[in-house]
Amino acid sequence: MAKDTSVHQRRRAPSAAELAEIPWLSLLLPEERAQIVPQLVVSDPQVGDYVCRVGRPVTYWFGVISGLLKMSSDSESGQTMTFTGVPPGGWFGEGTALKREVYRYNIQALRPSVVAGLPLDTFHWLIDHSLGFNRFIMHQLNERLGQFIAARELDRMNNPELRLARNLATLFNPVLFAGVGEVLHITQQELAYLVGLSRQRVNEALKVLETHQLIRIEYGGLRILDLQGLRTTQFL
């Protein structure tokens, strides 16, 4: 496993194509964008690399350009609890950045990824100066609250199909993860890590969801057929 510091050491300026994948840049005024873009950086965490670690001070606000990350925490007993996955288009840690706190969770790459970072002071400059950016952050925080309320409900679910359905609905959230679209490129093993089930059990649950026409399994990923059904179905 690469050292977590190497993610920071490998930072570079984003390409034009990578900038196009940052959803909130289009909400900035031209003069705001001109000031912000030169301060953005990207890096390429590999499988197992940490982007954020529990107890470390926040230095950037992060977003996923490509790949897949997971947000988790370790209990006192040493068990890892996964809160959610972060697919392309997802920006995370705005609450921690707003309060300038240390991280209370780990963010780790499940596959080779490209992650963008906005320096903390620049994040606060945008909060102070940009109406468009503030609206984006407000929507993020509102959706995030709903996400974690749903996560508490998931903790009490023993039905693997329902657990998988709700987790997939979260990963397809169009506000939090604008880059996913209708197809999520994810392996069954990656889903197993996120949902807390075995790969075999995930495979069985996916087939049930497909039978109910909620998803379609495609090469290299899943296509969403009924997002509302994934969020609300109770009959699986």
Side-chain angles (χ1 to χ4, degrees), residues 57-78:
V58 58
T59 52
Y60 289 89
W61 180 50
F62 292 107
V64 181
I65 303 298
S66 64
L68 182 67
L69 311 180
K70 73 169 181 176
M71 178 184 292
S72 66
S73 180
D74 296 326
S75 68
E76 293 182 359
S77 63

Side-chain angles (χ1 to χ4, degrees), residues 131-145:
L131 179 60
F133 188 75
N134 272 274
R135 286 175 174 165
F136 182 87
I137 294 298
M138 180 180 66
H139 289 310
Q140 285 275 116
L141 290 171
N142 185 53
E143 289 291 324
R144 192 82 66 202
L145 177 61

Side-chain angles (χ1 to χ4, degrees), residues 62-230:
F62 292 107
V64 181
I65 303 298
S66 64
L68 182 67
L69 311 180
K70 73 169 181 176
M71 178 184 292
S72 66
S73 180
D74 296 326
S75 68
E76 293 182 359
S77 63
Q79 292 184 323
T80 298
M81 177 182 295
T82 298
F83 299 126
T84 188
V86 189
W91 285 73
F92 57 89
E94 53 277 349
T96 304
L98 282 168
K99 293 180 285 186
R100 296 180 183 267
E101 292 184 334
V102 298
Y103 288 108
R104 300 180 183 180
Y105 48 80
N106 296 316
I107 297 287
Q108 196 172 14
L110 288 179
R111 71 169 71 144
S113 304
V114 176
V115 175
L118 179 71
L120 181 61
D121 288 340
T122 309
F123 173 89
H124 278 272
W125 185 91
L126 280 171
I127 291 292
D128 292 337
H129 294 88
S130 173
L131 179 60
F133 188 75
N134 272 274
R135 286 175 174 165
F136 182 87
I137 294 298
M138 180 180 66
H139 289 310
Q140 285 275 116
L141 290 171
N142 185 53
E143 289 291 324
R144 192 82 66 202
L145 177 61
Q147 180 187 41
F148 281 102
I149 290 174
R152 291 297 300 273
E153 295 174 350
L154 273 174
D155 288 340
R156 297 190 291 269
M157 283 186 179
N158 295 319
N159 183 308
E161 287 75 25
L162 286 181
R163 285 181 63 88
L164 182 59
R166 299 299 189 268
N167 272 280
L168 286 175
T170 296
L171 292 173
F172 278 106
N173 186 306
V175 176
L176 291 176
F177 311 124
V180 173
E182 295 181 349
V183 178
L184 177 65
H185 298 287
I186 192 168
T187 67
Q188 292 183 10
Q189 186 60 65
E190 289 167 343
L191 274 176
Y193 288 139
L194 295 178
V195 182
L197 298 170
S198 68
R199 183 183 178 280
Q200 180 180 2
R201 194 64 189 86
V202 164
N203 179 269
E204 294 169 356
L206 285 172
K207 291 177 181 177
V208 172
L209 298 186
E210 188 171 41
T211 298
H212 285 87
Q213 299 184 330
L214 298 173
I215 64 168
R216 183 166 67 239
I217 302 171
E218 299 185 354
Y219 180 76
L222 308 170
R223 180 174 295 276
I224 185 73
L225 299 179
D226 184 357
L227 180 57
Q228 188 61 21
L230 289 173

Side-chain angles (χ1 to χ4, degrees), residues 27 36 129:
L27 305 177
I36 295 306
H129 294 88

Side-chain angles (χ1 to χ4, degrees), residues 36-53:
I36 295 306
V37 167
Q39 300 182 58
L40 284 162
V41 298
V42 296
S43 188
D44 58 345
Q46 302 302 297
V47 177
D49 281 350
Y50 286 93
V51 178
C52 310
R53 298 198 73 164

